[in-house]
Amino acid sequence: MNNTINHSTKPQRSRILRKLSAVVLSAAMLGTSLVGLSHTALVSAQAASATPSATSVPQASSALPNHIYDGVILHAWNWSFNSIKSNLPAIAAAGYTAVQTSPVQRPKDYSNTSTSQWDWWKVYQPTTLSFSPGGHPWFGSKEEFKAMCDEADKYGIKIIVDVVANHLANNNGGEGNNRNGISSQNDPTYRDDNSCWHLNGSMGIDYGNPRRDGSTSSLTHGFGGWPDLNTGNKKVQNGVLDLLKECIDLGADGFRFDAAKHIELPTDPGGASDFWPTVINGAEQYAASKGREIYCYGEILDDAGTDIKNYTKYMGVTDNRASKDIRKSIVENNIGKAANSWLNHNGVPYSKIVLWAESHDTYANDDYTGESTESSQDQINRAWAIVAARQFPALYYIRPDNPRSQRMGQASGNTAWKNAEVAEVNKFHNAFVGESEYMSSSGSTVLIERGTTGVVLVNISGYGQQFSGKVNKMKDGTYKDQVSGGTFTVSGGVISGTIGNKGIAVVYNAGSYGSVSATPDSTSFTDSITVSLTANNVTNAKYTTSEGASGSFSTGTTITMGGSTAVGGSVTLTLSGTKQDGSSVSAKYTYLKKNPNEVTTIYFDNSSYNWSKVYAYIYNKTDTDDPIPIPPPVPSSKILFTNSLHWGSVYAYFFNSNGTVGNEWPGQTMT
């Protein structure tokens, strides 16, 4: 099928955009009368199989979403890989979708194998851009890391690795960005190569002037006494990307980037680099080549010094200001602030904003005198109930029980992360994926409604009470508090019931929620494709394929199919199950079998322009979160796209080097 479009703008570049998981286009720089650009699909090629094979694994009782961004993350701060592995049944039962580890790079003073958690900051001064050689001295070996990931897969839990890519370890004097400041412990591959560093002598960061306008910008070319890596250097970029690939090979499902705000962007007016597209896109493509999906987010504290969308086009970001306001509202007993849905980072998809009640920085900075240290664990849990009841991915930080006596790698004795009021909020979050949110207050109680059949009530004063207050979305009916087991009724827009002694009620009927799903979802493949199946809060889960295979499954079951399907044909996967209330649930996915040697060609008529460089970028209709201001249109041109990928909808979007374009994003439908 050929698609053409007439467009009333004079572009210097044209781009047809595409969804990353479908295919990858190789950009071309051409200047002929008729320009042809070709690409080959990058897909996950699995071993051919005439019939699907299924592998089943144990399933925990909690319902976990397929995607990290739809769930909640447990920060097992400074736990060893074995400690995380042994706690996975409890982590899954408490409703956590993912576990975030500490950095796996070799830390400063790594020869001390029995250091206490008081020295936690040393893992954020790594000496390598690779997995710690010979295994991490405090967290465990590569083999233990892989065993942890393999075990997590059995419960549908994802593993996120904290990554330090902005800087390496300093000498004890903290001399800033010069040769004397670079620790002798650092990997000589980078330590001895001046091109790998920003050697501008900078000592601190001027947060009052967070400009991003060149090599003297303290925000992106200096880091307060830690030697700042030249993240525009290809050796550094490839080192970070290799670390991510190494972790993906071992089973990692995502990455958190420390100090992400201090790494320059391609859009910076000066001192820009392609670090983020090189590293993030490279890691995503590498994971996709193995049939995997990864989630990445970056630490962006306070103001980014740029439009936050310049970061979120690559990854999610933390919103510490919104998180801080929720925590402070509990401490200050400020109901107006507690029920405020305000975000510091607005205008980006929910999946790109990570919230928390506290983080390791708010708790452990400055020798454990951080901004949240004086908050009680119960106060933190009430803040968590507000944060995690919302639609955004959220991070629960496990406080150490005694940082002076607790060794690095030792699991915390603090078990508040699996308290009933925490676990039930997590499960509520998972049950209402995709449902709208509505925040309000009544007296000292915050109400976070999701959809029309669920609400979390948080008495910020922290005590139980008979409660009666207005709801704005919930349907009339009788609902169960999943924390206390008590009953709440909704009638005529008023909800009534008893909030338990922790001050938190999680009100919905859990049995009516359940889902079945497959990862990856509908996509293309060559040879055969392996998908992972998930059954959330359902029994009697079954799968069938259009190739004639069928069977039962649970979360973590994998099936391989497509081996007997002809090139150009498709295989359909149908899933079904029964929810706890007896109702049924189903899902259907279609996978197109592509010729691995197939080439898709784009033609652009360059005869009237004779541009020396022409660019094309393929996209699918779902990538619509990158709006650009639109000026008036100018003279016409034509673009041709051969739709051998069989997309149902193809869009063309035009722009020139000045950023001017002729029609609203996501472009015009091609015919």
Side-chain angles (χ1 to χ4, degrees):
M1 182 196 306
N2 285 333
N3 291 57
T4 65
I5 181 172
N6 289 309
H7 198 278
S8 58
T9 189
K10 184 178 181 181
Q12 290 177 338
R13 305 177 192 175
S14 67
R15 67 177 175 176
I16 305 176
L17 301 166
R18 73 121 185 94
K19 187 176 181 182
L20 184 60
S21 61
V23 291
V24 174
L25 174 73
S26 58
M29 299 181 179
L30 305 163
T32 60
S33 177
L34 186 64
V35 180
L37 300 106
S38 66
H39 72 282
T40 302
L42 175 63
V43 297
S44 172
Q46 308 290 342
S49 175
T51 58
S53 59
T55 303
S56 296
V57 294
Q59 178 186 353
S61 60
S62 57
L64 304 180
N66 265 355
H67 306 293
I68 290 173
Y69 55 77
D70 281 332
V72 290
I73 306 163
L74 182 67
H75 191 182
W77 194 59
N78 296 333
W79 287 26
S80 70
F81 310 138
N82 283 341
S83 293
I84 294 172
K85 179 184 174 184
S86 64
N87 277 277
L88 284 170
I91 292 169
Y96 294 98
T97 303
V99 178
Q100 182 172 302
T101 74
S102 292
V104 299
Q105 298 150 261
R106 189 176 64 192
K108 185 174 182 175
D109 297 341
Y110 55 90
S111 59
N112 183 354
T113 58
S114 60
T115 189
S116 76
Q117 295 216 12
W118 203 260
D119 289 334
W120 66 269
W121 53 271
K122 292 179 180 179
V123 300
Y124 291 95
Q125 285 200 44
T127 63
T128 63
L129 289 178
S130 64
F131 201 109
S132 184
H136 198 285
W138 305 329
F139 305 142
S141 66
K142 285 187 181 181
E143 291 75 17
E144 289 168 336
F145 181 91
K146 185 178 187 305
M148 171 191 68
C149 293
D150 290 346
E151 189 70 12
D153 285 343
K154 297 177 182 179
Y155 295 94
I157 293 174
K158 311 296 192 291
I159 299 297
I160 299 173
V161 177
D162 205 347
V163 174
V164 183
N166 175 70
H167 57 275
L168 293 182
N170 66 1
N171 282 322
N172 291 331
E175 292 86 351
N177 287 351
N178 55 58
R179 287 297 321 173
N180 292 333
I182 301 171
S183 173
S184 59
Q185 298 178 31
N186 290 335
D187 182 348
T189 303
Y190 307 99
R191 181 192 66 204
D192 299 336
D193 185 344
N194 284 349
S195 71
C196 293
W197 306 94
H198 289 141
L199 299 176
N200 55 21
S202 171
M203 278 295 292
I205 301 170
D206 183 2
Y207 287 104
N209 182 26
R211 67 184 191 278
R212 313 176 71 98
D213 57 1
S215 61
T216 59
S217 168
S218 68
L219 192 71
T220 57
H221 290 68
F223 198 66
W226 290 268
D228 199 63
L229 285 163
N230 176 10
T231 37
N233 178 280
K234 285 301 174 185
K235 181 192 285 189
V236 172
Q237 292 180 3
N238 290 333
V240 176
L241 180 55
D242 286 345
L243 168 62
L244 270 56
K245 290 179 177 179
E246 188 176 19
C247 291
I248 290 169
D249 285 340
L250 293 171
D253 304 286
F255 302 94
R256 180 260 190 192
F257 290 90
D258 183 69
K261 159 176 154 176
H262 301 288
I263 297 177
E264 67 283 347
L265 291 153
T267 52
D268 285 351
S273 88
D274 61 349
F275 176 87
W276 291 115
T278 297
V279 170
I280 299 286
N281 295 350
E284 288 180 340
Q285 291 170 19
Y286 184 75
S289 74
K290 296 177 175 294
R292 304 268 301 284
E293 174 188 84
I294 60 170
Y295 178 74
C296 298
Y297 79 99
E299 180 192 32
I300 307 287
L301 302 181
D302 301 325
D303 290 326
T306 185
D307 187 336
I308 197 63
K309 293 175 188 174
N310 291 328
Y311 277 105
T312 57
K313 67 177 61 175
Y314 305 111
M315 59 187 167
V317 296
T318 59
D319 193 335
N320 69 304
R321 284 182 170 173
S323 299
K324 180 179 180 180
D325 275 0
I326 295 297
R327 184 181 65 252
K328 288 185 66 177
S329 74
I330 302 294
V331 175
E332 298 168 356
N333 200 27
N334 184 331
I335 190 63
K337 186 181 289 186
N340 192 339
S341 61
W342 171 85
L343 294 173
N344 186 45
H345 302 320
N346 281 311
V348 297
Y350 80 91
S351 61
K352 297 294 183 74
I353 300 292
V354 179
L355 300 176
W356 59 58
E358 68 177 338
S359 72
H360 75 269
D361 282 318
T362 68
Y363 184 77
N365 268 352
D366 301 319
D367 291 338
Y368 291 88
T369 58
E371 64 187 56
S372 69
T373 306
E374 297 305 316
S375 298
S376 71
Q377 186 68 70
D378 280 345
Q379 287 176 322
I380 292 298
N381 283 357
R382 292 199 294 279
W384 174 255
I386 296 174
V387 166
R390 300 187 67 182
Q391 62 185 325
F392 308 95
L395 179 82
Y396 189 101
Y397 165 69
I398 305 177
R399 291 178 165 186
D401 49 349
N402 188 331
R404 286 197 183 276
S405 62
Q406 187 176 328
R407 316 313 294 174
M408 293 293 282
Q410 182 181 351
S412 174
N414 175 10
T415 59
W417 57 272
K418 56 183 178 180
N419 284 2
E421 71 274 13
V422 172
E424 293 303 333
V425 172
N426 296 347
K427 296 173 187 178
F428 175 91
H429 181 108
N430 298 339
F432 285 90
V433 170
E435 299 278 8
S436 62
E437 67 172 50
Y438 193 98
M439 294 183 69
S440 61
S441 64
S442 178
S444 62
T445 298
V446 180
L447 297 88
I448 308 99
E449 295 176 68
R450 297 294 302 276
T452 60
T453 55
V455 63
V456 171
L457 307 171
V458 182
N459 181 354
I460 62 173
S461 300
Y463 52 83
Q465 64 172 147
Q466 288 294 124
F467 177 78
S468 180
K470 178 184 176 183
V471 287
N472 295 273
K473 301 293 183 180
M474 285 191 73
K475 297 177 180 178
D476 287 358
T478 301
Y479 300 89
K480 180 181 178 180
D481 174 15
Q482 303 297 323
V483 178
S484 69
T487 297
F488 278 76
T489 59
V490 176
S491 178
V494 175
I495 185 169
S496 303
T498 302
I499 299 175
N501 60 11
K502 290 291 187 177
I504 299 169
V506 180
V507 183
Y508 72 113
N509 294 327
S512 63
Y513 294 90
S515 63
V516 288
S517 57
T519 304
D521 55 16
S522 299
T523 187
S524 58
F525 68 97
T526 60
D527 275 345
S528 60
I529 186 168
T530 298
V531 298
S532 177
L533 307 181
T534 300
N536 288 337
N537 269 356
V538 300
T539 58
N540 196 34
K542 305 285 187 182
Y543 73 87
T544 60
T545 76
S546 56
E547 292 179 318
S550 62
S552 301
F553 72 93
S554 59
T555 295
T557 298
T558 60
I559 63 170
T560 301
M561 57 191 180
S564 61
T565 297
V567 171
S570 61
V571 57
T572 301
L573 170 66
T574 302
L575 308 178
S576 64
T578 304
K579 295 185 285 187
Q580 292 179 18
D581 64 1
S583 62
S584 60
V585 62
S586 63
K588 182 176 288 187
Y589 303 89
T590 300
Y591 302 88
L592 174 67
K593 187 167 186 176
K594 291 176 53 61
N595 183 339
N597 299 315
E598 183 179 73
V599 173
T600 297
T601 305
I602 299 172
Y603 298 97
F604 178 72
D605 186 354
N606 193 31
S607 58
S608 60
Y609 305 110
N610 294 316
W611 299 331
S612 60
K613 295 181 179 180
V614 179
Y615 297 83
Y617 175 38
I618 298 295
Y619 81 107
N620 210 336
K621 63 179 291 185
T622 57
D623 290 332
T624 58
D625 59 351
D626 186 17
I628 300 176
I630 311 299
V634 290
S636 67
S637 60
K638 178 179 288 188
I639 190 166
L640 304 175
F641 171 61
T642 302
N643 191 18
S644 57
L645 296 175
H646 309 292
W647 293 340
S649 299
V650 179
Y651 292 69
Y653 172 67
F654 292 82
F655 70 102
N656 66 23
S657 60
N658 296 321
T660 57
V661 293
N663 70 305
E664 293 285 348
W665 179 269
Q668 186 170 333
T669 306
M670 300 183 75
T671 59

